[in-house]
Coordinates of all heavy atoms in Angstrom, one line a residue:
M798 N 0.8 -1.2 0.0 CA 0.0 0.0 0.0 C 0.9 1.2 0.0 O 1.8 1.4 0.8 CB -0.9 0.0 1.2 CG -1.9 1.1 1.3 SD -3.1 0.8 2.7 CE -3.4 2.5 3.1
A799 N 0.6 2.1 -1.0 CA 1.4 3.3 -1.1 C 1.2 4.3 0.1 O 0.0 4.5 0.5 CB 1.2 4.0 -2.4
K800 N 2.2 4.9 0.6 CA 2.0 5.8 1.7 C 1.6 7.2 1.1 O 2.2 7.7 0.2 CB 3.4 6.0 2.4 CG 3.3 6.6 3.8 CD 4.6 6.6 4.4 CE 4.5 7.4 5.8 NZ 5.9 7.5 6.4
E801 N 0.5 7.7 1.6 CA 0.0 9.0 1.1 C 0.8 10.2 1.7 O 1.0 10.1 2.9 CB -1.5 9.1 1.4 CG -2.2 10.2 0.6 CD -3.7 10.2 0.8 OE1 -4.1 9.5 1.7 OE2 -4.3 11.0 0.1
R802 N 1.1 11.1 1.0 CA 1.8 12.3 1.5 C 0.8 13.1 2.3 O -0.3 13.4 1.9 CB 2.3 13.2 0.3 CG 3.4 12.6 -0.4 CD 4.0 13.6 -1.4 NE 3.0 14.2 -2.2 CZ 3.2 15.2 -3.0 NH1 4.4 15.8 -3.1 NH2 2.2 15.7 -3.8
I803 N 1.3 13.5 3.5 CA 0.5 14.4 4.4 C 1.3 15.7 4.5 O 2.5 15.7 4.9 CB 0.3 13.8 5.8 CG1 -0.5 12.4 5.6 CG2 -0.5 14.7 6.7 CD1 -1.9 12.5 5.1
C804 N 0.6 16.8 4.3 CA 1.3 18.1 4.4 C 1.6 18.5 5.9 O 0.7 18.4 6.7 CB 0.4 19.2 3.8 SG 1.0 20.9 4.0
S805 N 2.8 18.8 6.2 CA 3.2 19.2 7.5 C 2.7 20.6 7.9 O 2.6 20.9 9.1 CB 4.7 19.1 7.7 OG 5.3 20.1 6.9
Y806 N 2.2 21.4 7.0 CA 1.7 22.7 7.3 C 0.2 22.7 7.6 O -0.2 23.2 8.7 CB 1.9 23.6 6.1 CG 1.5 25.1 6.3 CD1 2.3 25.9 7.0 CD2 0.3 25.5 5.9 CE1 1.9 27.2 7.3 CE2 -0.2 26.8 6.1 CZ 0.7 27.7 6.8 OH 0.2 28.9 7.1
C807 N -0.6 22.1 6.7 CA -2.1 22.1 6.9 C -2.6 20.7 7.3 O -3.8 20.7 7.7 CB -2.8 22.7 5.7 SG -2.8 21.5 4.3
G808 N -1.8 19.7 7.2 CA -2.4 18.3 7.5 C -3.1 17.7 6.4 O -3.6 16.6 6.5
G809 N -3.3 18.4 5.3 CA -4.0 17.9 4.1 C -3.2 16.8 3.4 O -2.0 16.7 3.7
S810 N -3.8 16.1 2.5 CA -3.1 15.1 1.7 C -3.0 15.5 0.3 O -3.7 16.4 -0.2 CB -3.8 13.8 1.9 OG -5.1 13.9 1.4
G811 N -2.1 14.8 -0.4 CA -1.9 15.0 -1.9 C -0.9 16.1 -2.2 O -0.6 16.4 -3.4
H812 N -0.3 16.7 -1.2 CA 0.8 17.7 -1.4 C 1.6 17.8 -0.2 O 1.3 17.2 0.8 CB 0.2 19.1 -1.8 CG -0.6 19.7 -0.6 ND1 -1.9 19.5 -0.4 CD2 -0.2 20.5 0.4 CE1 -2.3 20.2 0.7 NE2 -1.3 20.8 1.2
D813 N 2.8 18.4 -0.3 CA 3.6 18.6 0.9 C 3.7 20.1 1.2 O 3.1 21.0 0.5 CB 5.0 18.0 0.7 CG 5.7 18.6 -0.6 OD1 5.4 19.7 -1.0 OD2 6.6 17.9 -1.1
A814 N 4.3 20.4 2.3 CA 4.3 21.8 2.8 C 4.9 22.8 1.8 O 4.6 24.0 1.7 CB 5.1 21.9 4.1
R815 N 5.9 22.3 0.9 CA 6.5 23.1 -0.1 C 5.5 23.6 -1.1 O 5.6 24.7 -1.6 CB 7.6 22.3 -0.7 CG 8.6 23.1 -1.4 CD 9.8 22.3 -2.0 NE 10.4 23.0 -3.1 CZ 10.9 22.4 -4.1 NH1 11.0 21.1 -4.2 NH2 11.5 23.1 -5.1
N816 N 4.5 22.8 -1.4 CA 3.5 23.2 -2.4 C 2.2 23.4 -1.8 O 1.2 23.4 -2.5 CB 3.4 22.0 -3.5 CG 4.7 21.7 -4.1 OD1 5.4 22.6 -4.6 ND2 5.1 20.5 -4.1
C817 N 2.1 23.6 -0.5 CA 0.8 23.8 0.2 C 0.1 25.0 -0.3 O 0.6 26.1 -0.1 CB 1.1 23.8 1.7 SG -0.5 24.0 2.6
P818 N -1.2 24.9 -0.8 CA -1.9 26.1 -1.2 C -2.3 27.0 0.0 O -2.4 28.2 -0.2 CB -3.2 25.5 -1.9 CG -3.2 24.0 -1.6 CD -1.8 23.6 -1.1
S819 N -2.6 26.4 1.1 CA -2.9 27.2 2.3 C -1.7 28.0 2.8 O -1.9 29.2 3.1 CB -3.3 26.3 3.5 OG -4.4 25.5 3.2
K820 N -0.6 27.4 2.8 CA 0.7 28.1 3.2 C 0.9 29.3 2.2 O 1.2 30.4 2.6 CB 1.9 27.2 3.2 CG 3.1 27.8 3.7 CD 4.2 26.8 3.8 CE 5.5 27.4 4.3 NZ 6.6 26.4 4.2
K821 N 0.8 29.0 0.9 CA 1.0 30.0 -0.1 C 0.0 31.2 0.1 O 0.4 32.3 0.0 CB 0.8 29.3 -1.5 CG 1.4 30.1 -2.6 CD 1.3 29.3 -3.9 CE 1.9 30.1 -5.1 NZ 1.7 29.4 -6.4
A822 N -1.2 30.9 0.4 CA -2.3 31.9 0.5 C -2.0 32.7 1.8 O -2.4 33.9 1.9 CB -3.6 31.3 0.5
N823 N -1.4 32.1 2.8 CA -1.3 32.8 4.1 C 0.1 33.5 4.3 O 0.3 34.1 5.3 CB -1.4 31.7 5.3 CG -2.8 31.3 5.4 OD1 -3.8 32.0 5.1 ND2 -3.0 30.0 5.8
T824 N 1.0 33.3 3.3 CA 2.3 33.9 3.4 C 2.2 35.3 2.9 O 1.8 35.5 1.7 CB 3.3 33.1 2.6 OG1 3.3 31.8 3.1 CG2 4.7 33.7 2.7
P825 N 2.5 36.3 3.7 CA 2.4 37.7 3.2 C 3.4 38.0 2.1 O 4.5 37.5 2.2 CB 2.7 38.5 4.5 CG 3.2 37.6 5.5 CD 2.9 36.2 5.1
K826 N 2.9 38.8 1.2 CA 3.8 39.2 0.1 C 4.1 40.7 0.2 O 3.7 41.5 -0.6 CB 3.2 38.9 -1.3 CG 3.0 37.4 -1.5 CD 2.4 37.1 -2.9 CE 2.5 35.6 -3.1 NZ 1.9 35.3 -4.4
D827 N 4.8 41.0 1.3 CA 5.0 42.5 1.6 C 6.4 42.9 1.5 O 6.8 43.9 2.0 CB 4.4 42.8 3.0 CG 5.1 41.9 4.1 OD1 5.8 41.0 3.8 OD2 4.8 42.2 5.3
K828 N 7.3 42.1 0.9 CA 8.7 42.4 0.8 C 9.0 42.9 -0.6 O 8.4 42.4 -1.6 CB 9.6 41.2 1.1 CG 9.4 40.6 2.5 CD 9.8 41.6 3.6 CE 9.6 41.1 5.0 NZ 8.2 41.1 5.4
S829 N 10.0 43.8 -0.7 CA 10.5 44.3 -2.0 C 12.0 44.2 -1.9 O 12.6 44.2 -0.8 CB 10.1 45.7 -2.3 OG 8.7 45.8 -2.4
V830 N 12.7 44.2 -3.0 CA 14.1 44.2 -3.1 C 14.6 45.3 -4.0 O 13.9 45.6 -5.0 CB 14.8 42.9 -3.4 CG1 14.6 41.8 -2.4 CG2 14.3 42.4 -4.8
W831 N 15.7 45.9 -3.7 CA 16.3 46.9 -4.6 C 17.8 46.6 -4.8 O 18.5 46.4 -3.8 CB 16.1 48.3 -3.9 CG 16.6 49.4 -4.8 CD1 17.8 50.0 -4.8 CD2 15.8 50.1 -5.8 NE1 17.8 51.0 -5.7 CE2 16.7 51.1 -6.3 CE3 14.5 49.9 -6.2 CZ2 16.2 51.9 -7.3 CZ3 14.1 50.8 -7.3 CH2 14.9 51.8 -7.8
Y832 N 18.2 46.5 -6.0 CA 19.6 46.2 -6.3 C 20.2 47.4 -7.1 O 19.6 48.0 -8.0 CB 19.8 44.9 -7.1 CG 19.2 43.7 -6.5 CD1 18.1 43.1 -6.9 CD2 19.9 43.1 -5.4 CE1 17.6 42.0 -6.3 CE2 19.4 42.0 -4.8 CZ 18.2 41.4 -5.3 OH 17.7 40.3 -4.7
K833 N 21.5 47.6 -6.9 CA 22.2 48.6 -7.7 C 23.6 48.0 -7.9 O 24.3 47.7 -6.9 CB 22.2 49.9 -7.1 CG 23.0 51.0 -7.9 CD 22.8 52.4 -7.2 CE 23.4 53.5 -8.0 NZ 24.9 53.6 -7.8
V834 N 24.1 48.0 -9.1 CA 25.5 47.5 -9.4 C 26.1 48.5 -10.2 O 25.6 48.9 -11.3 CB 25.4 46.1 -10.1 CG1 26.9 45.6 -10.3 CG2 24.6 45.1 -9.3
D835 N 27.3 49.0 -9.8 CA 28.0 50.1 -10.5 C 29.2 49.5 -11.3 O 29.6 48.3 -11.1 CB 28.6 51.1 -9.5 CG 27.5 52.1 -9.1 OD1 26.6 52.4 -9.8 OD2 27.6 52.6 -8.0
N836 N 29.8 50.3 -12.1 CA 31.0 50.0 -12.8 C 30.9 48.8 -13.8 O 31.7 48.0 -13.8 CB 32.2 49.8 -11.8 CG 32.5 51.0 -11.0 OD1 32.4 52.2 -11.5 ND2 32.8 50.8 -9.8
L837 N 29.7 48.8 -14.5 CA 29.5 47.7 -15.4 C 29.7 48.3 -16.8 O 29.4 49.4 -17.1 CB 28.0 47.2 -15.3 CG 27.6 46.6 -14.0 CD1 26.1 46.4 -14.0 CD2 28.4 45.3 -13.8
T838 N 30.1 47.4 -17.7 CA 30.0 47.7 -19.2 C 28.6 47.6 -19.6 O 27.8 47.0 -18.9 CB 30.9 46.7 -20.0 OG1 30.4 45.4 -19.9 CG2 32.4 46.7 -19.5
D839 N 28.3 48.1 -20.8 CA 26.9 47.9 -21.4 C 26.5 46.5 -21.4 O 25.4 46.1 -21.1 CB 26.9 48.6 -22.7 CG 25.5 48.8 -23.2 OD1 24.7 49.4 -22.4 OD2 25.2 48.4 -24.3
E840 N 27.5 45.6 -21.9 CA 27.2 44.2 -22.1 C 27.0 43.5 -20.7 O 26.0 42.7 -20.5 CB 28.4 43.5 -22.8 CG 28.1 42.1 -23.1 CD 29.3 41.4 -23.7 OE1 30.3 42.0 -24.0 OE2 29.3 40.1 -23.8
Q841 N 27.8 43.9 -19.7 CA 27.6 43.3 -18.4 C 26.2 43.8 -17.8 O 25.5 43.0 -17.1 CB 28.7 43.8 -17.4 CG 30.0 43.1 -17.7 CD 31.2 43.8 -16.9 OE1 31.2 45.0 -16.6 NE2 32.1 43.0 -16.5
A842 N 25.9 45.0 -18.0 CA 24.6 45.5 -17.5 C 23.4 44.7 -18.1 O 22.5 44.4 -17.4 CB 24.4 47.0 -17.8
D843 N 23.5 44.4 -19.4 CA 22.5 43.7 -20.1 C 22.4 42.2 -19.6 O 21.3 41.7 -19.4 CB 22.7 43.6 -21.6 CG 22.3 45.0 -22.3 OD1 21.6 45.8 -21.6 OD2 22.8 45.2 -23.4
K844 N 23.6 41.6 -19.3 CA 23.6 40.3 -18.8 C 23.1 40.2 -17.4 O 22.4 39.3 -17.0 CB 25.1 39.7 -18.8 CG 25.5 39.3 -20.2 CD 26.9 38.7 -20.2 CE 27.3 38.2 -21.6 NZ 28.7 37.8 -21.6
M845 N 23.4 41.2 -16.6 CA 22.9 41.3 -15.2 C 21.4 41.4 -15.2 O 20.7 40.7 -14.5 CB 23.5 42.5 -14.4 CG 25.0 42.4 -14.2 SD 25.4 41.3 -12.9 CE 24.7 42.0 -11.5
T846 N 20.9 42.2 -16.1 CA 19.4 42.5 -16.2 C 18.7 41.2 -16.7 O 17.7 40.8 -16.1 CB 19.1 43.6 -17.2 OG1 19.8 44.8 -16.7 CG2 17.6 43.9 -17.3
S847 N 19.3 40.5 -17.7 CA 18.7 39.3 -18.2 C 18.7 38.2 -17.1 O 17.7 37.5 -16.9 CB 19.5 38.9 -19.4 OG 19.1 37.6 -19.8
G848 N 19.8 38.1 -16.4 CA 19.9 37.1 -15.3 C 18.9 37.4 -14.2 O 18.2 36.5 -13.7
F849 N 18.7 38.7 -13.9 CA 17.8 39.1 -12.8 C 16.4 38.7 -13.3 O 15.6 38.2 -12.5 CB 17.9 40.6 -12.6 CG 16.7 41.1 -11.8 CD1 16.6 40.9 -10.4 CD2 15.7 41.9 -12.4 CE1 15.6 41.4 -9.7 CE2 14.7 42.4 -11.7 CZ 14.6 42.1 -10.4
M850 N 16.0 39.0 -14.5 CA 14.6 38.8 -15.0 C 14.4 37.3 -15.0 O 13.3 36.8 -14.7 CB 14.4 39.4 -16.3 CG 14.4 40.9 -16.3 SD 13.3 41.7 -15.1 CE 11.7 41.5 -15.9
N851 N 15.4 36.5 -15.4 CA 15.2 35.0 -15.4 C 15.0 34.5 -14.0 O 14.1 33.6 -13.8 CB 16.4 34.3 -16.0 CG 16.5 34.5 -17.6 OD1 15.4 34.7 -18.2 ND2 17.6 34.4 -18.1
L852 N 15.7 35.0 -13.1 CA 15.6 34.6 -11.7 C 14.2 34.9 -11.1 O 13.6 34.2 -10.5 CB 16.6 35.3 -10.8 CG 17.9 34.5 -10.4 CD1 18.7 35.3 -9.5 CD2 17.5 33.2 -9.7
K853 N 13.8 36.1 -11.5 CA 12.5 36.6 -11.0 C 11.4 35.7 -11.5 O 10.5 35.3 -10.8 CB 12.2 38.1 -11.4 CG 11.0 38.7 -10.9 CD 10.2 39.3 -12.0 CE 8.7 39.2 -12.0 NZ 7.9 38.1 -12.1
R854 N 11.4 35.4 -12.8 CA 10.4 34.5 -13.4 C 10.4 33.1 -12.8 O 9.4 32.5 -12.6 CB 10.7 34.3 -14.9 CG 10.0 35.3 -15.8 CD 10.1 34.9 -17.3 NE 11.4 35.0 -17.8 CZ 12.0 36.1 -18.3 NH1 11.2 37.2 -18.4 NH2 13.2 36.2 -18.7
K855 N 11.6 32.6 -12.4 CA 11.8 31.3 -11.8 C 11.3 31.3 -10.3 O 10.6 30.4 -9.9 CB 13.2 30.9 -11.9 CG 13.5 29.5 -11.4 CD 15.0 29.2 -11.6 CE 15.4 27.9 -10.9 NZ 16.8 27.6 -10.9
I856 N 11.7 32.3 -9.6 CA 11.5 32.3 -8.1 C 10.1 32.9 -7.8 O 9.4 32.4 -6.9 CB 12.6 33.1 -7.4 CG1 13.9 32.4 -7.6 CG2 12.2 33.3 -5.9 CD1 15.1 33.1 -7.1
A857 N 9.7 34.0 -8.5 CA 8.5 34.7 -8.2 C 7.7 35.1 -9.4 O 7.7 36.3 -9.8 CB 8.8 35.9 -7.3
P858 N 7.2 34.1 -10.2 CA 6.5 34.4 -11.5 C 5.4 35.4 -11.4 O 5.1 36.1 -12.3 CB 6.1 33.0 -12.0 CG 6.1 32.1 -10.8 CD 7.1 32.7 -9.8
D859 N 4.7 35.4 -10.2 CA 3.6 36.3 -10.1 C 3.9 37.7 -9.5 O 3.1 38.6 -9.4 CB 2.5 35.7 -9.1 CG 2.0 34.3 -9.7 OD1 2.0 34.2 -10.9 OD2 1.6 33.5 -8.9
A860 N 5.2 37.8 -9.1 CA 5.6 39.1 -8.5 C 5.8 40.2 -9.6 O 6.0 39.9 -10.7 CB 6.9 38.9 -7.7
H861 N 5.6 41.4 -9.2 CA 5.8 42.5 -10.1 C 7.3 42.9 -10.1 O 7.8 43.1 -9.1 CB 5.0 43.7 -9.7 CG 5.2 44.9 -10.5 ND1 5.9 46.0 -10.1 CD2 5.0 45.2 -11.8 CE1 6.0 46.9 -11.0 NE2 5.4 46.5 -12.1
G862 N 7.9 42.9 -11.3 CA 9.3 43.3 -11.4 C 9.5 44.4 -12.3 O 8.8 44.7 -13.2
A863 N 10.6 45.2 -12.0 CA 10.9 46.3 -12.8 C 12.4 46.5 -12.7 O 13.0 46.1 -11.7 CB 10.2 47.6 -12.4
Y864 N 13.0 47.1 -13.7 CA 14.4 47.5 -13.6 C 14.7 48.7 -14.4 O 13.9 49.1 -15.2 CB 15.3 46.3 -14.1 CG 15.2 46.1 -15.6 CD1 16.0 46.7 -16.5 CD2 14.2 45.2 -16.1 CE1 15.8 46.5 -17.9 CE2 14.0 45.0 -17.4 CZ 14.8 45.6 -18.3 OH 14.7 45.4 -19.7
L865 N 15.8 49.4 -14.1 CA 16.2 50.5 -14.8 C 17.7 50.3 -15.2 O 18.5 49.8 -14.4 CB 16.1 51.8 -14.0 CG 14.7 52.3 -13.8 CD1 14.7 53.4 -12.7 CD2 14.2 52.9 -15.1
K866 N 18.1 50.7 -16.4 CA 19.5 50.7 -16.7 C 19.8 52.1 -17.3 O 19.0 52.6 -18.1 CB 19.7 49.6 -17.8 CG 21.1 49.6 -18.4 CD 21.1 48.6 -19.6 CE 22.3 49.0 -20.5 NZ 22.2 48.4 -21.8
G867 N 20.9 52.6 -16.8 CA 21.3 53.9 -17.3 C 22.7 54.2 -16.9 O 23.4 53.5 -16.3
D868 N 23.2 55.4 -17.4 CA 24.5 55.8 -17.0 C 24.5 56.1 -15.5 O 23.5 56.5 -14.9 CB 24.9 57.1 -17.8 CG 24.9 56.9 -19.3 OD1 25.2 55.7 -19.7 OD2 24.8 57.9 -20.0
K869 N 25.7 56.0 -14.9 CA 25.9 56.2 -13.5 C 25.3 57.5 -13.1 O 24.6 57.6 -12.0 CB 27.4 56.2 -13.1 CG 27.9 54.9 -12.7 CD 29.2 55.2 -11.9 CE 30.3 54.4 -12.3 NZ 31.6 54.7 -11.6
K870 N 25.5 58.6 -13.9 CA 25.0 59.9 -13.6 C 23.5 60.1 -13.6 O 22.9 60.7 -12.8 CB 25.7 60.9 -14.5 CG 27.0 61.5 -14.1 CD 27.4 62.6 -15.1 CE 28.4 63.5 -14.5 NZ 28.9 64.5 -15.5
S871 N 22.9 59.4 -14.6 CA 21.5 59.6 -14.8 C 20.6 58.7 -14.1 O 19.4 58.9 -13.9 CB 21.1 59.6 -16.3 OG 21.5 58.3 -16.9
L872 N 21.2 57.6 -13.6 CA 20.3 56.5 -12.9 C 19.6 57.0 -11.7 O 18.4 56.8 -11.5 CB 21.2 55.3 -12.6 CG 20.4 54.1 -12.1 CD1 19.4 53.6 -13.2 CD2 21.3 52.9 -11.7
P873 N 20.3 57.8 -10.8 CA 19.5 58.3 -9.6 C 18.3 59.1 -10.0 O 17.2 58.9 -9.4 CB 20.5 59.2 -8.9 CG 21.9 58.6 -9.3 CD 21.7 58.2 -10.7
G874 N 18.4 59.9 -11.0 CA 17.2 60.7 -11.4 C 16.1 59.8 -12.0 O 14.9 60.0 -11.8
M875 N 16.6 58.8 -12.8 CA 15.6 57.8 -13.4 C 14.9 57.0 -12.3 O 13.7 56.8 -12.4 CB 16.4 56.8 -14.3 CG 17.0 57.4 -15.5 SD 18.2 56.4 -16.4 CE 17.2 55.1 -17.0
I876 N 15.6 56.7 -11.2 CA 15.0 55.9 -10.1 C 14.0 56.8 -9.4 O 12.9 56.4 -9.1 CB 16.1 55.5 -9.1 CG1 17.0 54.4 -9.8 CG2 15.5 54.9 -7.8 CD1 18.2 54.0 -9.0
A877 N 14.4 58.1 -9.1 CA 13.5 59.0 -8.5 C 12.2 59.2 -9.3 O 11.1 59.2 -8.7 CB 14.2 60.3 -8.3
K878 N 12.4 59.3 -10.6 CA 11.2 59.5 -11.5 C 10.3 58.2 -11.4 O 9.1 58.3 -11.3 CB 11.7 59.7 -12.9 CG 10.7 60.3 -13.8 CD 11.3 60.7 -15.1 CE 10.3 61.3 -16.1 NZ 10.9 61.6 -17.4
A879 N 10.9 57.0 -11.4 CA 10.2 55.8 -11.4 C 9.4 55.6 -10.1 O 8.4 55.0 -10.1 CB 11.1 54.6 -11.6
L880 N 10.0 56.2 -9.0 CA 9.4 56.1 -7.7 C 8.3 57.2 -7.5 O 7.7 57.3 -6.5 CB 10.4 56.2 -6.6 CG 11.4 55.0 -6.5 CD1 12.4 55.3 -5.5 CD2 10.6 53.7 -6.2
G881 N 8.2 58.0 -8.5 CA 7.2 59.0 -8.5 C 7.6 60.3 -7.8 O 6.7 61.1 -7.5
R882 N 8.9 60.5 -7.6 CA 9.3 61.8 -7.0 C 9.9 62.7 -8.1 O 10.3 62.3 -9.1 CB 10.5 61.5 -6.0 CG 9.9 60.9 -4.8 CD 11.1 60.8 -3.7 NE 11.1 59.5 -3.1 CZ 12.1 58.7 -3.0 NH1 13.3 59.1 -3.5 NH2 12.0 57.6 -2.5
K883 N 9.8 64.0 -7.8 CA 10.3 65.0 -8.7 C 11.8 65.0 -8.6 O 12.4 65.0 -7.6 CB 9.7 66.4 -8.4 CG 8.4 66.6 -9.0 CD 8.6 67.4 -10.3 CE 7.2 67.6 -10.9 NZ 7.3 68.2 -12.3
D884 N 12.4 64.9 -9.8 CA 13.9 65.0 -9.9 C 14.2 66.5 -10.2 O 13.9 67.0 -11.2 CB 14.4 64.1 -11.0 CG 15.9 64.2 -11.2 OD1 16.6 64.5 -10.3 OD2 16.3 64.0 -12.4
D885 N 14.8 67.1 -9.3 CA 15.3 68.5 -9.3 C 14.1 69.5 -9.1 O 13.4 69.7 -8.3 CB 16.0 68.9 -10.5 CG 15.1 69.1 -11.8 OD1 14.0 68.6 -11.8 OD2 15.6 69.6 -12.8
Ligands
ZN950 ZN1 -0.9 21.8 3.0

């Protein structure tokens, strides 16, 4: 007789805690992350962005993601604008 999987989170069967729909629904999604990497070539910046977007799709496909790429000098203003603040 096959042993049925019992979820350690909700006690339900047919899934484990890692894929538990109750756990997923009860886990708050209130975190954001912000990354900035300086001294990149244009090619490195594109590769970093591509890698970031692939990771985001893999880890958090339903999360909202955005990125900005720009010159060191103009990026702070671009970020401020994206955040809805007036730049200068
Ligand atoms: Zn469960």
Side-chain angles (χ1 to χ4, degrees):
M798 188 173 146
K800 196 176 177 184
E801 197 174 6
R802 286 190 308 170
I803 301 295
C804 175
S805 62
Y806 182 82
C807 72
S810 60
H812 65 271
D813 56 23
R815 197 174 158 214
N816 303 311
C817 178
S819 300
K820 185 178 181 184
K821 199 175 180 183
N823 291 331
T824 303
K826 293 183 174 179
D827 58 350
K828 301 295 180 285
S829 296
V830 292
W831 184 266
Y832 299 109
K833 181 174 184 276
V834 182
D835 280 332
N836 298 324
L837 297 171
T838 65
D839 193 52
E840 186 184 352
Q841 287 172 326
D843 286 343
K844 283 182 178 174
M845 293 287 293
T846 301
S847 172
F849 165 77
M850 293 308 283
N851 286 337
L852 258 183
K853 187 233 145 289
R854 269 192 292 273
K855 185 178 170 188
I856 296 171
D859 300 330
H861 174 251
Y864 65 91
L865 286 168
K866 175 188 157 193
D868 295 336
K869 267 201 225 180
K870 271 185 159 179
S871 59
L872 191 61
M875 292 165 68
I876 293 168
K878 200 173 177 183
L880 292 175
R882 285 188 228 129
K883 275 263 181 188
D884 175 30
D885 72 345

